[in-house]
Amino acid sequence: MMSRSTPVAIALILAAAQIVSWASARAQEADHPSDKPLVVASDFGVAPWMVRGTSGPEGFGADLITEIGKDLGRPKVEIVDINFSGLFAALFAKRVEFLVNPLNLTAERAERMLYTEPLFTTGNGFLVRAADEMKGFEDLKGKAVAVNRGTISDTWATANAEKYGFEVQRYDTFPDSVQALMTRRAFTALNEIPTTVFAASQNKAVKVGYKDFNGRNFAYAFRLEDVEYRNKVENVIECMKLDGRLRKLHEKWYGATPDAGSALDTVYFGYGPPGFKGFEPVAHLPSCKK
């Protein structure tokens, strides 16, 4: 009896699998329509990653997602400007397909979002006035630290304010935190190292007082159900690492070659960020356009 019914059972299982695959493909196409513009989000206040130029968004992040959109075959890319504090809500509400902000990889965020593999290495950068000095965290005692609300810099400052004895001031954009520094409301403006280095290069009244290289990385973030699409985008990122386009964009916008071992040059095993939720230990070779 079992032997006669087994082929039928197998056929039913295969049919069910095909239906699930078809439904998944339909859902992916609905959320990421291949014949329509690629709609993503970033905070435009983080130079030189993403700023508002005379003809639209420009910067490292703008060029990067434009290249990715081309490789994905999308007709064009639309980048929505959203303050950092509103980015996650926009993603979950499906107002955008994924986030292209310089977004830190953290275990807490990986519980709520699906990350690509790391694509940019970073850390804490402390911007101070040109006449001031900062040699370490101890120099923050009794002073005010300005941060961009909701960022990893905000998280670090909140966690360490009591330990090092400083006050945290929160602002909606990075330029606002720099303005607090310039007007002496704050001793330092804390942000990502690349962001503070660029800000100092544009304004001789400030400098990077201290760099805290701590192994953090940026990555793109997707909704948890978008595994297949995340992998598709990551394939393009890996190809850009291999063909040197990512390195060239860094040299163009940051004025320097990436440090040895940087995520800009490293193709990681599997899909997603190693060591974080959402990582898929699947060996694969990137399928790159010639």
Side-chain angles (χ1 to χ4, degrees), residues 105-251:
L105 275 164
T106 70
E108 180 182 5
R109 289 175 180 171
E111 292 289 330
R112 304 171 58 208
M113 294 171 286
L114 194 67
Y115 279 102
T116 61
E117 69 175 41
L119 57 85
F120 202 108
T121 300
T122 184
N124 288 326
F126 294 84
L127 201 65
V128 300
R129 290 179 292 275
D132 292 338
E133 296 293 333
M134 179 179 170
K135 297 180 180 179
F137 301 139
E138 292 74 17
D139 292 336
L140 299 175
K141 187 174 182 179
K143 299 182 174 71
V145 176
V147 299
N148 193 172
R149 190 188 315 276
T151 63
I152 199 70
S153 300
D154 186 356
T155 301
W156 183 92
T158 301
N160 288 279
E162 183 176 354
K163 179 179 180 180
Y164 295 110
F166 61 80
E167 171 199 350
V168 182
Q169 295 181 357
R170 296 177 177 85
Y171 298 89
D172 287 333
T173 69
F174 176 58
D176 287 342
S177 67
V178 176
Q179 183 64 22
L181 168 65
M182 298 290 293
T183 56
R184 298 184 177 274
R185 283 175 285 157
F187 167 70
T188 180
L190 170 60
N191 211 289
E192 303 298 332
I193 290 173
T195 302
T196 55
V197 168
F198 180 77
S201 73
Q202 301 298 301
N203 187 347
K204 299 302 181 183
V206 298
K207 66 183 180 183
V208 180
Y210 184 67
K211 297 178 182 178
D212 173 29
F213 288 101
N214 51 23
R216 289 206 310 262
N217 289 294
F218 294 149
Y220 284 166
F222 295 70
R223 291 179 287 275
L224 289 175
E225 67 269 22
D226 283 346
V227 176
E228 181 180 342
Y229 195 68
R230 184 276 308 267
N231 295 353
K232 185 176 182 179
V233 173
E234 182 165 315
N235 180 83
V236 176
I237 293 171
E238 291 178 341
C239 290
M240 291 186 67
K241 291 179 178 183
L242 292 171
D243 65 23
R245 278 182 289 167
L246 210 51
R247 169 177 283 266
K248 289 179 180 178
L249 288 180
H250 186 276
E251 292 170 348

Side-chain angles (χ1 to χ4, degrees), residues 255-281:
T257 57
D259 293 331
S262 167
L264 282 156
D265 287 328
T266 304
V267 174
Y268 296 81
F269 171 76
Y271 288 110
F276 291 85
K277 186 174 181 179
F279 173 66
E280 291 188 317

Side-chain angles (χ1 to χ4, degrees), residues 67-85:
E67 285 293 310
I68 290 174
K70 290 177 182 178
D71 280 20
L72 290 174
R74 301 294 284 269
K76 68 175 182 176
V77 174
E78 295 180 1
I79 309 172
V80 182
D81 181 12
I82 300 176
N83 281 350
F84 189 92
S85 57

Side-chain angles (χ1 to χ4, degrees), residues 79-103:
I79 309 172
V80 182
D81 181 12
I82 300 176
N83 281 350
F84 189 92
S85 57
L87 282 174
F88 301 153
L91 176 67
F92 300 145
K94 295 190 176 182
R95 289 173 53 197
V96 297
E97 296 187 38
F98 55 96
L99 303 181
V100 299
N101 213 64
L103 192 62

Side-chain angles (χ1 to χ4, degrees), residues 49 58-68 240 249 252-253:
W49 185 282
E58 60 183 35
F60 174 90
D63 283 359
L64 173 57
I65 191 57
T66 298
E67 285 293 310
I68 290 174
M240 291 186 67
L249 288 180
K252 172 185 175 180
W253 288 103

